[in-house]
Amino acid sequence: MLNLLYKRRSIRKYKTTKLDSGTVQLLIKAALLSPSSRGFQPWQFVVVDDIEVLSLLASSKKGAGFLKDAALGIVILADPTKSDVWVEDASIAATILHLTAESLGLGSCWIQIRERQATETETAEQYVQRILGIPENLKVVSIISIGYPDEFKPPHLDGVLGFDKVHMNKYGAKY
Ligand SMILES: Cc1cc2nc3c(=O)[nH]c(=O)nc-3n(C[C@H](O)[C@H](O)[C@H](O)COP(=O)(O)O)c2cc1C
């Protein structure tokens, strides 16, 4: 696990290779295995592998353009009526997807949708809801783009970890 955490980077360049259905299934299983508050599982997922739909989603906001070249985008939704901590639950599922992708030799990146704008008059959430036909009551948290990596990023190093943000027994006391 630690090795995976050091190696995991946000990958935004992908090969054109498609994912086989077994690999997609493993990713979905991983997301569905995520913990959630009181086991309420308020999430829903839209798995997108259609190139045209991926291209449309790539315009959901600035900083999402690379989604058009991904093999897959998994849209993370949550139902606020099912849990008061839907943001946490959905974010944990998204993180587990991101890490599972790494464990399968895939590259992936979190694309933030919640609280972001598509245009001055449309939120990124409304845009994604419109493109995918998602009902208004379901919140769009993020999209995880996934594909075989076509870029290399060096792993994280101990030297740049933010140990200054860690406190011992009392806030402000050095760890
Ligand atoms: C909540 C969250 C939102 C993010 N939103 C975006 C995004 O919209 N577009 C993007 O390219 N990267 C996004 N990222 C990826 C971060 O930019 C990236 O994790 C960070 O720069 C650290 O780099 P690393 O993942 O390679 O360690 C997001 C990451 C998180 C956790």
Side-chain angles (χ1 to χ4, degrees):
M1 183 64 169
L2 273 171
N3 187 35
L4 186 138
L5 293 173
Y6 277 102
K7 268 179 52 200
R8 185 219 53 83
R9 298 294 313 275
S10 292
I11 297 299
R12 301 180 179 87
K13 290 187 181 140
Y14 307 102
K15 295 195 169 126
T16 52
T17 320
K18 292 279 163 208
L19 305 192
D20 63 57
S21 58
T23 304
V24 176
Q25 175 81 339
L26 290 176
L27 290 163
I28 301 305
K29 279 184 181 174
L32 294 173
L33 284 165
S34 302
S36 65
S37 172
R38 292 179 276 174
F40 284 169
Q41 307 185 334
W43 48 60
Q44 305 251 354
F45 304 98
V46 182
V47 180
V48 181
D49 67 354
D50 182 305
I51 294 172
E52 281 174 27
V53 183
L54 287 169
S55 286
L56 288 169
L57 291 177
S59 300
S60 55
K61 61 157 220 169
K62 274 192 201 133
F66 55 90
L67 183 58
K68 71 177 182 359
D69 301 318
L72 204 66
I74 300 184
V75 184
I76 316 285
L77 310 174
D79 183 343
T81 66
K82 295 237 158 84
S83 174
D84 54 348
V85 291
W86 57 272
V87 177
E88 289 86 343
D89 289 339
S91 299
I92 288 166
T95 304
I96 285 180
L97 256 178
H98 190 32
L99 292 173
T100 303
E102 177 72 35
S103 79
L104 295 171
L106 298 164
S108 61
C109 188
W110 182 305
I111 297 168
Q112 181 69 20
I113 297 298
R114 198 178 77 84
E115 301 291 342
R116 296 289 179 265
Q117 288 294 126
T119 63
E120 268 184 25
T121 53
E122 188 175 39
T123 66
E125 175 174 77
Q126 287 165 340
Y127 180 95
V128 173
Q129 284 170 332
R130 180 163 60 77
I131 299 298
L132 298 179
I134 295 164
E136 256 178 51
N137 61 305
L138 281 181
K139 301 303 226 177
V140 187
V141 175
S142 61
I143 305 173
I144 305 298
S145 62
I146 303 172
Y148 285 96
D150 200 21
E151 65 174 329
F152 172 78
K153 289 192 174 173
H156 297 287
L157 296 171
D158 273 345
V160 292
L161 294 183
F163 280 106
D164 56 321
K165 296 189 172 73
V166 185
H167 313 269
M168 194 72 202
N169 290 321
K170 190 179 173 196
Y171 183 82
K174 206 170 159 45
Y175 164 75

